[in-house]
Amino acid sequence: MLILNKCSPLRQILRRCHRQVVENSKVVNKNLTAFMGKWPEEEQQDFRLHMRIITDFISELEEQQLHEEIEPYMSRLRYEFDHWDDAIHGFRETERKKWFPHNREVLERVRQVAFEGAIMPYVHILDLAADGVIKPHVDSTRYCGTTISGISLLSDSVMRLVRTDAQRYQQSGTNAKETDSQDADSDAAYRHQPKEASLENKFYADLLLPRRSLYIMSHTARYNFTHEILAKEHSQFQGMPVPKTRRISIICRNEP
Ligand code: OGA
Ligand code: MN
């Protein structure tokens, strides 16, 4: 029989695992979010509720199994670097509906944790090259509902959310006259890019997205902020470099 005395190494490991589980079940934003600029108190509270990161959402084995399912298809695509105007540069992407059962289970966990109801049946997979970048944009309200949730594979990265001008990015209403759609030629329908890229007089948050974490971006964080993944030369969190290599994200969204 295995006897665990108070200080046995195994006991310590278990205790550490338990602590991890407890931490994971809470909102773990605290050390992973850096608020920059002048945030109105209420906005910040709202943001904390609607931009969450869960570290170690998947295990190393689950990461490997997801990667193994994606890689054979993905590796046949070519990274796109051609259209500098596009919101994403240096990427390849696909959508997948059918998954191996063990990976389907992971996605079901995402649904339970991040969504109140169903997620869209096609899960979006985005493979960002080491020197790829996701520029500031807001996902179109025509194709995506209140919540966007992503698992990060293979690399840490830094996501920046910048408060947008509510008027300008107002996407609702039937006269969906997208004020900024002329910026990009091809993916403008999916991703709205701002013209003004300066951070001056803006408030924003940098989020450290560790490899194997899940982020959940909803409501105010999804509608009122642009999101972007910093290019490797700017990949820093609170002054510390965050090496960004090739990164695959598995993104679940709900219906508009
Ligand atoms: C997108 C996007 C974020 C990510 O595809 O619109 O913002 O985590 N992706 O890859
Ligand atoms: Mn997006």
Side-chain angles (χ1 to χ4, degrees), residues 24-50:
N24 284 352
S25 65
K26 297 190 293 210
V27 176
V28 201
N29 289 355
K30 232 175 155 189
N31 304 316
L32 301 176
T33 308
F35 290 98
M36 319 290 276
K38 277 207 174 72
W39 279 75
E41 184 59 33
E42 239 175 68
E43 285 252 13
Q44 196 177 115
Q45 280 175 13
D46 215 21
F47 185 90
R48 282 180 200 278
L49 284 175
H50 294 118

Side-chain angles (χ1 to χ4, degrees), residues 81 84 89-90 128-133 231-233 244-246:
F81 281 97
W84 184 248
H89 195 65
L128 196 63
D131 45 3
V133 59
K232 69 171 197 275
E233 26 329 340
K244 183 181 91 59
T245 58
R246 176 189 178 199

Side-chain angles (χ1 to χ4, degrees), residues 93-192:
E93 64 186 339
T94 183
E95 289 182 321
R96 182 176 285 266
K97 190 175 179 184
K98 290 218 158 85
W99 294 82
F100 293 140
H102 47 264
N103 290 334
R104 167 65 42 207
E105 269 169 37
V106 172
L107 296 172
E108 172 56 19
R109 229 158 67 212
V110 173
R111 194 193 61 76
Q112 284 173 9
V113 170
F115 294 86
E116 265 141 35
I119 57 178
M120 288 202 266
Y122 283 92
V123 173
H124 177 199
I125 306 165
L126 184 72
D127 179 345
L128 196 63
D131 45 3
V133 59
I134 303 182
K135 297 191 279 183
H137 69 277
V138 178
D139 285 23
S140 168
T141 54
R142 258 196 255 158
Y143 301 99
C144 167
T146 57
T147 305
I148 302 164
S149 181
I151 306 174
S152 299
L153 311 187
L154 309 183
S155 178
D156 301 334
S157 62
V158 179
M159 187 180 259
R160 176 168 290 167
L161 279 84
V162 182
R163 184 66 157 94
T164 59
D165 178 333
Q167 293 296 308
R168 211 176 135 194
Y169 291 91
Q170 198 62 258
Q171 293 184 54
S172 58
T174 42
N175 77 349
K177 217 175 150 219
E178 273 108 26
T179 52
D180 49 346
S181 62
Q182 61 271 29
D183 288 33
D185 49 12
S186 66
D187 67 350
Y190 294 98
R191 299 179 181 103
H192 298 252

Side-chain angles (χ1 to χ4, degrees), residues 184-229:
D185 49 12
S186 66
D187 67 350
Y190 294 98
R191 299 179 181 103
H192 298 252
Q193 293 184 72
K195 281 213 176 76
E196 174 60 75
S198 163
L199 288 176
E200 218 183 327
N201 298 322
K202 290 197 178 135
F203 55 90
Y204 64 99
D206 280 350
L207 293 113
L208 178 58
L209 299 183
R211 178 178 182 176
R212 293 190 298 279
S213 66
L214 175 79
Y215 66 81
I216 305 163
M217 181 194 312
S218 64
H219 304 284
T220 186
R222 178 257 181 277
Y223 293 113
N224 300 323
F225 290 77
T226 57
H227 54 274
E228 63 193 288
I229 295 283

